[in-house]
mmCIF file of all heavy atoms in Angstrom:
data_model
loop_
_atom_site.group_PDB
_atom_site.id
_atom_site.type_symbol
_atom_site.label_atom_id
_atom_site.label_comp_id
_atom_site.label_asym_id
_atom_site.label_seq_id
_atom_site.Cartn_x
_atom_site.Cartn_y
_atom_site.Cartn_z
ATOM 1 N N SER A 106 -6.418 33.048 -9.807
ATOM 2 C CA SER A 106 -7.327 31.942 -9.493
ATOM 3 C C SER A 106 -7.849 31.309 -10.783
ATOM 4 O O SER A 106 -8.826 30.589 -10.764
ATOM 5 C CB SER A 106 -8.491 32.440 -8.639
ATOM 6 O OG SER A 106 -9.198 33.445 -9.333
ATOM 7 N N THR A 107 -7.181 31.594 -11.906
ATOM 8 C CA THR A 107 -7.614 31.100 -13.208
ATOM 9 C C THR A 107 -6.587 30.133 -13.775
ATOM 10 O O THR A 107 -5.383 30.385 -13.719
ATOM 11 C CB THR A 107 -7.794 32.268 -14.201
ATOM 12 O OG1 THR A 107 -8.710 33.200 -13.644
ATOM 13 C CG2 THR A 107 -8.302 31.783 -15.542
ATOM 14 N N LEU A 108 -7.085 29.039 -14.341
ATOM 15 C CA LEU A 108 -6.245 28.065 -15.032
ATOM 16 C C LEU A 108 -6.850 27.847 -16.411
ATOM 17 O O LEU A 108 -8.057 27.647 -16.538
ATOM 18 C CB LEU A 108 -6.194 26.745 -14.261
ATOM 19 C CG LEU A 108 -5.371 25.627 -14.887
ATOM 20 C CD1 LEU A 108 -3.896 26.007 -14.979
ATOM 21 C CD2 LEU A 108 -5.537 24.341 -14.091
ATOM 22 N N VAL A 109 -5.995 27.895 -17.440
ATOM 23 C CA VAL A 109 -6.454 27.741 -18.821
ATOM 24 C C VAL A 109 -5.699 26.579 -19.464
ATOM 25 O O VAL A 109 -4.478 26.496 -19.376
ATOM 26 C CB VAL A 109 -6.216 29.036 -19.640
ATOM 27 C CG1 VAL A 109 -6.657 28.849 -21.081
ATOM 28 C CG2 VAL A 109 -6.927 30.211 -18.997
ATOM 29 N N LEU A 110 -6.456 25.702 -20.114
ATOM 30 C CA LEU A 110 -5.907 24.582 -20.869
ATOM 31 C C LEU A 110 -6.367 24.762 -22.314
ATOM 32 O O LEU A 110 -7.549 24.684 -22.603
ATOM 33 C CB LEU A 110 -6.409 23.264 -20.287
ATOM 34 C CG LEU A 110 -5.882 21.970 -20.871
ATOM 35 C CD1 LEU A 110 -4.383 21.865 -20.677
ATOM 36 C CD2 LEU A 110 -6.581 20.785 -20.223
ATOM 37 N N ARG A 111 -5.404 25.031 -23.216
ATOM 38 C CA ARG A 111 -5.737 25.355 -24.610
ATOM 39 C C ARG A 111 -5.663 24.156 -25.532
ATOM 40 O O ARG A 111 -5.004 23.173 -25.244
ATOM 41 C CB ARG A 111 -4.759 26.419 -25.132
ATOM 42 C CG ARG A 111 -5.055 27.779 -24.612
ATOM 43 C CD ARG A 111 -4.483 28.838 -25.540
ATOM 44 N NE ARG A 111 -4.770 30.148 -24.974
ATOM 45 C CZ ARG A 111 -3.909 31.131 -24.938
ATOM 46 N NH1 ARG A 111 -2.711 30.992 -25.455
ATOM 47 N NH2 ARG A 111 -4.254 32.284 -24.417
ATOM 48 N N ASP A 112 -6.345 24.324 -26.679
ATOM 49 C CA ASP A 112 -6.220 23.357 -27.771
ATOM 50 C C ASP A 112 -4.757 23.274 -28.176
ATOM 51 O O ASP A 112 -4.051 24.259 -28.074
ATOM 52 C CB ASP A 112 -7.034 23.825 -28.986
ATOM 53 C CG ASP A 112 -8.424 23.237 -29.007
ATOM 54 O OD1 ASP A 112 -8.679 22.312 -28.233
ATOM 55 O OD2 ASP A 112 -9.243 23.714 -29.803
ATOM 56 N N PRO A 113 -4.253 22.133 -28.606
ATOM 57 C CA PRO A 113 -4.947 20.886 -28.885
ATOM 58 C C PRO A 113 -5.080 19.980 -27.667
ATOM 59 O O PRO A 113 -5.589 18.874 -27.779
ATOM 60 C CB PRO A 113 -4.079 20.236 -29.947
ATOM 61 C CG PRO A 113 -2.705 20.671 -29.626
ATOM 62 C CD PRO A 113 -2.861 22.070 -29.085
ATOM 63 N N ALA A 114 -4.607 20.426 -26.493
ATOM 64 C CA ALA A 114 -4.679 19.574 -25.299
ATOM 65 C C ALA A 114 -6.106 19.176 -24.976
ATOM 66 O O ALA A 114 -6.355 18.066 -24.511
ATOM 67 C CB ALA A 114 -4.043 20.280 -24.109
ATOM 68 N N THR A 115 -7.054 20.053 -25.245
ATOM 69 C CA THR A 115 -8.455 19.740 -24.939
ATOM 70 C C THR A 115 -8.993 18.643 -25.850
ATOM 71 O O THR A 115 -9.962 17.974 -25.504
ATOM 72 C CB THR A 115 -9.330 20.999 -25.055
ATOM 73 O OG1 THR A 115 -9.136 21.586 -26.340
ATOM 74 C CG2 THR A 115 -8.965 22.006 -23.977
ATOM 75 N N GLU A 116 -8.376 18.441 -27.011
ATOM 76 C CA GLU A 116 -8.782 17.354 -27.911
ATOM 77 C C GLU A 116 -7.969 16.089 -27.676
ATOM 78 O O GLU A 116 -8.448 14.992 -27.928
ATOM 79 C CB GLU A 116 -8.611 17.802 -29.363
ATOM 80 C CG GLU A 116 -9.528 18.936 -29.752
ATOM 81 C CD GLU A 116 -9.240 19.462 -31.149
ATOM 82 O OE1 GLU A 116 -8.446 18.832 -31.876
ATOM 83 O OE2 GLU A 116 -9.807 20.492 -31.512
ATOM 84 N N LEU A 117 -6.727 16.249 -27.197
ATOM 85 C CA LEU A 117 -5.828 15.114 -27.033
ATOM 86 C C LEU A 117 -5.970 14.421 -25.677
ATOM 87 O O LEU A 117 -5.530 13.290 -25.510
ATOM 88 C CB LEU A 117 -4.379 15.573 -27.216
ATOM 89 C CG LEU A 117 -4.065 16.182 -28.578
ATOM 90 C CD1 LEU A 117 -2.677 16.798 -28.581
ATOM 91 C CD2 LEU A 117 -4.200 15.143 -29.675
ATOM 92 N N PHE A 118 -6.547 15.128 -24.710
ATOM 93 C CA PHE A 118 -6.721 14.589 -23.362
ATOM 94 C C PHE A 118 -8.148 14.846 -22.904
ATOM 95 O O PHE A 118 -8.654 15.954 -23.009
ATOM 96 C CB PHE A 118 -5.762 15.262 -22.371
ATOM 97 C CG PHE A 118 -4.318 14.979 -22.651
ATOM 98 C CD1 PHE A 118 -3.592 15.808 -23.478
ATOM 99 C CD2 PHE A 118 -3.700 13.876 -22.093
ATOM 100 C CE1 PHE A 118 -2.257 15.554 -23.755
ATOM 101 C CE2 PHE A 118 -2.369 13.615 -22.362
ATOM 102 C CZ PHE A 118 -1.647 14.452 -23.190
ATOM 103 N N GLU A 119 -8.777 13.800 -22.372
ATOM 104 C CA GLU A 119 -10.115 13.955 -21.804
ATOM 105 C C GLU A 119 -9.958 14.310 -20.326
ATOM 106 O O GLU A 119 -9.290 13.595 -19.570
ATOM 107 C CB GLU A 119 -10.897 12.655 -21.945
ATOM 108 C CG GLU A 119 -12.277 12.720 -21.346
ATOM 109 C CD GLU A 119 -12.978 11.374 -21.354
ATOM 110 O OE1 GLU A 119 -12.473 10.419 -21.959
ATOM 111 O OE2 GLU A 119 -14.045 11.291 -20.724
#
Side-chain angles (χ1 to χ4, degrees):
S106 59
T107 304
L108 179 63
V109 178
L110 184 62
R111 284 203 181 137
D112 266 348
T115 54
E116 295 174 9
L117 300 171
F118 295 90
E119 178 187 352

